[in-house]
Each structure stands twice: as structure tokens, then as C-alpha cells.
Amino acid sequence: MRRRAGASGRHGLRIGPGQPRRAAGARCRVRLALSGHRSGDGTLSHWLSWQVGARVTVVDRDTAFLQECSGELDVLQADITDPGFQPGQFDLVHARLVLMHVHEREDLLPRMLSWLKPGGLLVLTDAVMLPGAQLLHPHYREAVTGHFRMMAEVIGSDLHFANRYPQAFAGLGLTATGTHAYQPVVGADHRFTEFVEGTLRQSRHFLLTNGMRPAALDEVLDYVRRPDTRERFFELRTAWGRKPLPSPQGQYPDHP
């Protein structure tokens, strides 16, 4: 399920002037930065680089899984929550599933603006917890809500922080703002289904300690694996906006 609002382009998002695409034979003149704690193996960073034909700087506290691709990406080992972290200025700053998990999320938003060039694009994606009533199977509902309660209590995650992005971006003075929402479906996407099953398995100790019956959790894991199951887990919410240009209009030009 997808919902979108705001600017035009792929997922409602213009990456740069003229919406360049390597697949169309165009090369973008911007440099990109992916900032976060969980850059993983660099898959998304490679995709960004391929899309616009530019190098991507990947920031992570643990770069062990990024070493093999360090020749293709600019890999920077750092903690973005460190007040002394000053990576320079970039055309794009992107963080995916980062701010929802860090306690310094409120302070990071204005600091991220300082990492953008004038006219640069800030793109943030985080998960939003769905109301329990939207989850169909009663034990699946119990397991999922229990898992997100664990994230809030143990990690300090905020599963509703992304709801504030439109207002926060307006308060920061960003222009050309927009949002996009996507709800991946368990059972319709094999990889996502495996992710949900693995996530609930890892939450087993917390769920059982907090009152869920072992038989109920086993039923949920079987239910998730069933080919006819169609359930949601969370909503991925993306918001974007541009840092104003130092001009009276304060707008990013539509064409180079």
C-alpha cells in the first residue's frame, strides 16, 4: 500500500535538477551523503550512486560490512550523534531508520541542516507503528504490539517520531517539502516476510516474559509463513525538503 503527497518524480521525490537518471544516460552533478548508524552493507548507497552517477559518502559507527565496497563509496566511521561530528556540506543528506532509534533525535534535525549545501535536499525515512486494530490476527497483533513496546522500553525508539516530520520541516524553514508512505505486506513480499518472522523470533524472550503464551507465539510464526497470509507490520514514512537558497525567492531552481 502506498500513499504520497508533495513534489513529483519517483516516489514523489526529485533527487536533483532535471531529475537525472543514469538509466536515461544522464549524469548528475551533485555529490551525495548517506548519514546514519545502520548503513548495513551499502546496498542503498550503491543504489543512490547508480541513480545519479555520483559518489556517496556512507557514515556508520560500525563499518565492518562496508569494507568490501570502500573503493566505490566514501566510507566514514563516525557517530552522527557526536556534537563534534562535522562531515562538511553535501547536496543530499539521507537517513533511513535512524532518528527513530537515537535519543538525540530532536537535536539531530537542525544539525542535519548544517550538513547541507544551500538548495540541498534532506530525506528522512522512519517506521511508524500501526494501530493494533489494523492487524488482523489477534495473536499476531499481540506479538507485533509487544515487539514495538520492547523497542520503546529497551532501546528508547520512538515509533511515532516520523509523524512530526512535516511540521518539523516547516519549522526548520525547508522548502519544496513532501511526504511518502509505504506499508509493505507480509506474505506478498518474501524478503519482508522473512524479516518480520526473524524480528518476532528475536523478540521471543521479551514477549514471553511479558505474558505472551509460547503456543500463541508459535502460532504467530506459523501464520507469518503461510502463503495466504496478508498482514502489515509498520508503515515506512519518508519526508523531504530543501534547504533554502540565499536568495530573495529562497527556491531551488527547476533547471540547471
Side-chain angles (χ1 to χ4, degrees), residues 68-216:
E68 292 185 2
C69 57
S70 58
E72 303 171 29
L73 304 173
D74 296 324
V75 178
L76 179 61
Q77 184 171 6
D79 184 348
I80 66 170
T81 65
D82 181 354
F85 176 66
Q86 297 294 336
Q89 289 190 317
F90 300 89
D91 298 279
L92 169 66
V93 172
H94 173 264
R96 186 175 187 269
L97 302 176
V98 174
L99 266 65
M100 61 181 286
H101 293 305
V102 297
H103 296 170
E104 302 87 351
R105 58 182 72 91
E106 297 281 358
D107 298 331
L108 268 175
L109 274 174
R111 287 185 56 219
M112 283 181 164
L113 238 60
S114 72
W115 306 338
L116 279 173
K117 297 177 182 177
L121 188 66
L122 177 63
V123 182
L124 303 178
T125 297
D126 276 306
V128 175
M129 182 178 176
L130 298 171
Q134 295 187 17
L135 308 178
L136 307 178
H137 190 287
H139 292 323
Y140 176 79
R141 183 186 312 128
E142 180 184 5
V144 172
T145 55
H147 164 74
F148 288 129
R149 186 170 66 252
M150 177 195 70
M151 292 180 64
E153 295 177 2
V154 177
I155 305 175
S157 302
D158 186 342
L159 274 297
H160 301 285
F161 189 67
N163 289 325
R164 301 171 53 186
Y165 285 156
Q167 184 62 55
F169 280 21
L172 291 171
L174 297 181
T175 64
T177 58
T179 61
H180 175 263
Y182 171 54
Q183 294 182 7
V185 178
V186 174
D189 184 318
H190 177 68
R191 294 182 64 183
F192 182 68
T193 302
E194 288 184 339
F195 161 76
V196 172
E197 180 187 355
T199 297
L200 296 180
R201 285 188 183 278
Q202 291 176 349
S203 305
R204 186 180 188 91
H205 177 74
F206 180 89
L207 294 174
L208 299 186
T209 301
N210 285 269
M212 189 169 190
R213 294 182 297 105

